[in-house]
Amino acid sequence: MSNNIDGKVVVITGASSGLGEATARHLSGQGAIVVLGARRVERLQAIVGELARSGAKALAVTTDVIHRDQVQKLADTAVQNFGRVDVMLNNAGLMQRSPLERLKVDEWDNMIDINIKGVLYGIAAALPHMQRQKGGQFINVSSVAGHKVTPNGTVYCATKHAVRVISEGLRQEVKPYNIRTTIISPGAVATELPSHITDAESAAGIQKFYEGFAIPADSFARAVAFAISQPEDVDINEILFRPTRQEL
Ligand SMILES: NC(=O)c1ccc[n+]([C@@H]2O[C@H](COP(=O)([O-])OP(=O)(O)OC[C@H]3O[C@@H](n4cnc5c(N)ncnc54)[C@H](OP(=O)(O)O)[C@@H]3O)[C@@H](O)[C@H]2O)c1
């Protein structure tokens, strides 16, 4: 029986580490063709090499999601090589927590560019292909921070709330094209995400939080696989999950 993943062409931004990498491996193991984007292309190539050696089809494309043309090239490469984009996983993200009063405005800009505009560019890149195909699925990565606001996380939380708003608007608008839209909002998952925080106090707080109970990235990959594997007339619109031990 088909798992509804086998043979699908899945484009993943932010696939060089953490959730994106785990998902690339998991979906590839279920028969998906994966097209991987991120800035650290040597990491992508290592993953692609490994997947290819086990018989899977995979491609790496250098992609910085702050540049629309690069995200377009990522989606177009999938279509040129494999004929379609079945799933666009807008996963690339940055978390730089700090109190607003520290005025780390460059970090605010980076998070807005990557977490919001990057997702919009992913939609712009894949939507015309999916309209033409009359089918496809967007999976946009929000966070528990897209449901709650926490001190020192204002801008990150704002970007992740924005992902949910954009995804819900997209869901309503793409009905004529048979396109599914899924928001996935993870809690604490062990990845490189906390390593980009430059505010020492915030970094120490988050490190303690993650050390307490962060779960493996495969938890996210399984949620993605669940959303994709549903029959085409079932649209899993939103998944929110946390480590069992995470309170807030
Ligand atoms: N881990 C968690 O606890 C957690 C919880 C909720 C939500 N999330 C969300 O999950 C997503 C993935 O994060 P992660 O936890 O897997 O962290 P991660 O290990 O730091 O991975 C982030 C990925 O995004 C990529 N990226 C960052 N800036 C980029 C850019 N400008 N262009 C293209 N790719 C870029 C990175 O690749 P390069 O550096 O190679 O470009 C990397 O592959 C993010 O959206 C994050 O907000 C994570």
Side-chain angles (χ1 to χ4, degrees):
M1 210 175 80
S2 162
N3 62 7
N4 208 19
I5 296 174
D6 191 15
K8 279 192 168 171
V9 180
V10 181
V11 177
I12 305 176
T13 67
S16 60
S17 64
L19 307 187
E21 176 182 356
T23 305
R25 292 180 187 283
H26 188 78
L27 295 181
S28 175
Q30 311 252 316
I33 298 164
V34 293
V35 179
L36 309 181
R39 294 165 303 177
R40 290 171 295 177
V41 73
E42 66 296 338
R43 283 219 197 185
L44 293 180
Q45 279 161 349
I47 298 164
V48 162
E50 230 180 276
L51 298 178
R53 279 191 292 282
S54 60
K57 286 186 188 160
L59 273 183
V61 182
T62 310
T63 311
D64 186 331
V65 298
I66 73 171
H67 298 299
R68 183 180 168 196
D69 58 335
Q70 294 188 20
V71 187
Q72 189 64 57
K73 188 174 154 227
L74 174 66
D76 291 352
T77 301
V79 174
Q80 280 151 14
N81 286 272
F82 305 115
R84 49 194 292 118
V85 178
D86 292 299
V87 179
M88 181 77 196
L89 174 54
N90 287 309
N91 164 73
L94 176 68
M95 177 176 76
Q96 295 191 294
R97 300 171 63 93
S98 63
L100 288 172
E101 68 180 15
R102 305 244 158 101
L103 302 184
K104 290 184 178 271
V105 178
D106 289 346
E107 296 187 354
W108 305 349
D109 286 341
N110 287 339
M111 285 188 283
I112 289 165
D113 286 347
I114 296 168
N115 300 358
I116 302 180
K117 291 177 72 178
V119 169
L120 286 168
Y121 291 163
I123 292 168
L127 185 54
H129 294 304
M130 291 186 189
Q131 285 174 308
R132 185 176 35 76
Q133 294 164 190
K134 283 259 188 276
Q137 182 170 13
F138 284 98
I139 303 180
N140 296 332
V141 183
S142 178
S143 170
V144 167
H147 294 257
K148 294 188 176 303
V149 183
T150 49
N152 303 351
T154 306
V155 179
Y156 181 68
C157 292
T159 64
K160 291 301 182 179
H161 276 70
V163 170
R164 292 185 58 234
V165 171
I166 291 162
S167 303
E168 172 57 12
L170 178 69
R171 184 190 73 75
Q172 295 173 19
E173 290 184 26
V174 295
K175 292 293 112 188
Y177 306 106
N178 194 36
I179 295 171
R180 304 191 292 179
T181 61
T182 304
I183 303 161
I184 304 188
S185 297
V189 181
T191 68
E192 296 173 15
L193 194 72
S195 69
H196 304 287
I197 301 173
T198 62
D199 178 65
E201 214 175 293
S202 304
I206 281 290
Q207 200 179 332
K208 203 167 157 216
F209 185 70
Y210 273 67
E211 276 169 5
F213 39 68
I215 51 178
D218 200 49
S219 56
F220 173 84
R222 289 194 304 274
V224 173
F226 170 76
I228 298 174
S229 66
Q230 298 308 303
E232 288 299 320
D233 60 355
V234 178
D235 191 5
I236 301 294
N237 299 134
E238 185 142 20
I239 297 174
L240 166 63
F241 72 94
R242 295 178 175 83
T244 307
R245 294 182 56 211
Q246 181 175 341
E247 186 181 336
L248 295 177

